Each structure stands twice: as C-alpha cells, then as structure tokens.
Amino acid sequence: MFDEIVQNLVSIKQDFAKNYSGNAHIQEVLPASNSEKFPFDEEHLQSIHNFAEKNPIYHNSFEEKILGIDCVIYEGDINDYWLNSIKHGTSCQPFYPTWMISAYLMTLIAKNLGYHELIDIGSGDGRIAFCGKVLGFTTHSIEIDDGLVELQKLICDDTKQNFDPICDDALEFDYSKFQLTNPIFFIGGLPQMGGDMLATSIIDKINSIDQLKNSTGIVFAGTHSKRQLSGNLGNGGWSSLIQNHNLQVIETVSLPTVWTFDQTAETPYIYTKFN
C-alpha cells in the first residue's frame, strides 16, 4: 500500500509539472483530502495544509484536479531565504525544500521503522521536523541560518506545533544534551555539496555517545543526476560513506522535491542504520 501511495504522488507530480502554466519560483501539490489513492489521517493532512497556509514562503494557492484527485497547489518564492542560506561557510546546501507531502511520507517511514526521536539537520523551514511532531516524535530542528530559524519559530507559533527550532552549526552541536535513546537523523545536504562532511561529523558524534549508534537511524538525501554524481551512482551518491562507516541500507524511497520539479527522476532518500 505504501509503495502505491508513493507512486500515486509521483504520477501526480509528473502530470502537474508537465501541464503547469504558472511562473511561480516554487510550486508543489497537496491532496485536498484523504482518498483511496491517498488514505492519510485526515487530521494529519489538514495539519500539513495549515503549515503551508501559515508559511510566508507561499503567496498563493488554488485548487486543481490532477489525475482525478482533488489537489491544492501552493505557489511561493524562496529567493531571499536561498540567498541568506548560502552565506554560511559551513552550509552544505542552499535552502531547497522537499515537498510537504514528501516530508510527511518520509517521517511516516521513520515512524513505521520504530524510531521515537527525530533530529532534522539543516532543516530549512522545519517541514520534516513539523511532520515528525504531527506524527508524535520528539523533534529537534537544527538550522545554521538565523533567518530560517526565525521562520520556523513563526510557523511554530502560528500552527501551535513546537518542533524545537535551534539556530546552531550542526558540525559543532553537542547532541548528548538531547539524551537520545532511539533517534533518526535526517541529513539535509547532498553528498557532492558538502553533505558527506556533515554526515561524517554527525556519525562521529553519534559514535561518541555510549551505545547510541545501536539504536540510531540516519537518512540521506541523494540524487539520480549523473552530472551531479560525477560517476558515483550508488545509493544516490552515498555509497562510499555508507561503506566506510559500516552502515546498512534498510529503505530507499524516491519523492518529489522543489529541486526535482522539472526532472523526470525524483529525490532518493536512503534510510540506514549501523551494522
């Protein structure tokens, strides 16, 4: 059933992208309500719509039927946040969010895998952490850019969902203060853009906390682009790091993101754990 939901989302995204006639800087689709093709918890789905409605990066929305499904299209602009996000020397990727419904599906996978705490590294506007909060996780959202953290705090206040935005450098942060027991880390950065350095730092910090790695999961955002991977095609570009740190791939899902809107391939998310 879950694979069918993912395929339904990808089909809607590809049909929408092919026929989209607007000129917004970013655009994404959310099912208007639960249905046979998207049998989501209605309260969860409305929470995601609430996130979009209260998020200032979106300036317009409209309803549209896509492949027979009633959807809401959200249009926005992230230029200012994108520019601010690249000014930090240790930033591993500019602000390019995944789709909101993709963030929900990603956190739902983490819940089904049995994790209880979610740490979103390089969290942007906090959508993965927000979805984690909706799904009952204890969440922590680490973002180096102060403008994006202020945006997260605004969303926390307006949605009444406190997903714990923290303005800090993930490379320097002390994760032991969270007293984690069964966490999953989402790494916000492609391997070829410095994400490998960020991931290595996080793995080293996990290893420094007694017994933590035995119960920890790590999710990597990858790419299918041969141009970006420069020959390293395995696991979305993460194969070397996964092998070097003795990680085991337990799940892979490809989902729509802002940066793959005009592409036929989606963004692969690779779920791993320590062997």
Side-chain angles (χ1 to χ4, degrees):
M1 172 61 74
F2 192 86
D3 290 343
E4 293 178 9
I5 294 172
V6 171
Q7 185 54 57
N8 292 338
L9 175 61
V10 169
S11 297
I12 280 180
K13 174 262 179 178
Q14 292 178 352
D15 186 81
F16 172 66
K18 181 175 62 178
N19 296 296
Y20 179 67
S21 58
N23 57 6
H25 183 229
I26 65 167
Q27 56 289 113
E28 58 182 288
V29 178
L30 262 179
S33 60
N34 63 356
S35 63
E36 183 178 347
K37 288 191 174 182
F38 295 102
F40 297 136
D41 182 294
E42 186 66 34
E43 186 175 339
H44 291 176
L45 187 57
Q46 292 313 307
S47 291
I48 303 170
H49 280 285
N50 192 34
F51 177 94
E53 291 162 3
K54 299 294 171 52
N55 190 333
I57 71 171
Y58 300 107
H59 54 68
N60 185 46
S61 66
F62 58 92
E63 295 184 3
E64 182 174 323
K65 190 179 287 289
I66 305 174
L67 300 180
I69 300 295
D70 291 326
C71 299
V72 179
I73 314 303
Y74 291 96
E75 296 180 318
D77 190 326
I78 60 172
N79 269 317
D80 289 342
Y81 290 107
W82 184 92
L83 288 170
N84 285 333
S85 71
I86 63 175
K87 69 185 180 184
H88 305 278
T90 57
S91 177
C92 295
Q93 184 173 320
F95 174 48
Y96 274 125
T98 188
W99 275 20
M100 292 174 290
I101 196 66
S102 298
Y104 177 74
L105 290 170
M106 289 159 58
T107 53
L108 190 58
I109 291 172
K111 184 177 180 69
N112 290 340
L113 288 172
Y115 294 102
H116 300 141
E117 300 138 328
L118 187 153
I119 302 90
D120 189 8
I121 305 295
S123 52
D125 61 3
R127 59 188 60 202
I128 293 176
F130 174 88
C131 289
K133 192 71 176 180
V134 167
L135 282 163
F137 283 90
T138 298
T139 59
H140 306 286
S141 178
I142 313 286
E143 170 58 51
I144 195 171
D145 183 71
D146 56 347
L148 285 169
V149 173
E150 288 305 311
L151 174 62
Q152 291 189 36
K153 291 179 179 178
L154 175 68
I155 294 169
C156 282
D157 290 341
D158 289 350
T159 62
K160 311 303 180 191
Q161 292 280 8
N162 182 9
F163 45 86
D164 191 28
I166 298 169
C167 188
D168 212 325
D169 185 344
L171 294 171
E172 305 294 334
F173 192 78
D174 178 11
Y175 297 93
S176 65
K177 66 176 64 176
F178 290 153
Q179 298 184 321
L180 302 169
T181 59
N182 188 211
I184 187 163
F185 286 76
F186 283 80
I187 306 294
L190 296 175
Q192 71 280 7
M193 297 181 68
D196 52 352
M197 177 183 68
L198 175 61
T200 297
S201 173
I202 299 301
I203 290 170
D204 289 343
K205 290 179 179 295
I206 292 170
N207 284 329
S208 72
I209 301 173
D210 288 344
Q211 302 302 316
L212 186 60
K213 76 174 186 177
N214 295 330
S215 59
T216 297
I218 305 175
V219 183
F220 303 104
T223 178
H224 292 305
S225 170
K226 293 183 180 180
R227 178 179 60 82
Q228 290 179 323
L229 289 173
S230 301
N232 182 4
L233 303 180
N235 290 314
W238 289 99
S239 285
S240 296
L241 182 138
I242 288 171
Q243 182 176 359
N244 292 341
H245 292 278
N246 197 26
L247 298 174
Q248 176 187 346
V249 176
I250 52 177
E251 184 86 39
T252 300
V253 61
S254 292
L255 294 165
T257 58
V258 164
W259 66 88
T260 60
F261 179 72
D262 59 352
Q263 300 178 22
T264 56
E266 311 305 332
T267 297
Y269 290 92
I270 299 94
Y271 292 69
T272 68
K273 67 178 182 179
F274 292 89
N275 278 316

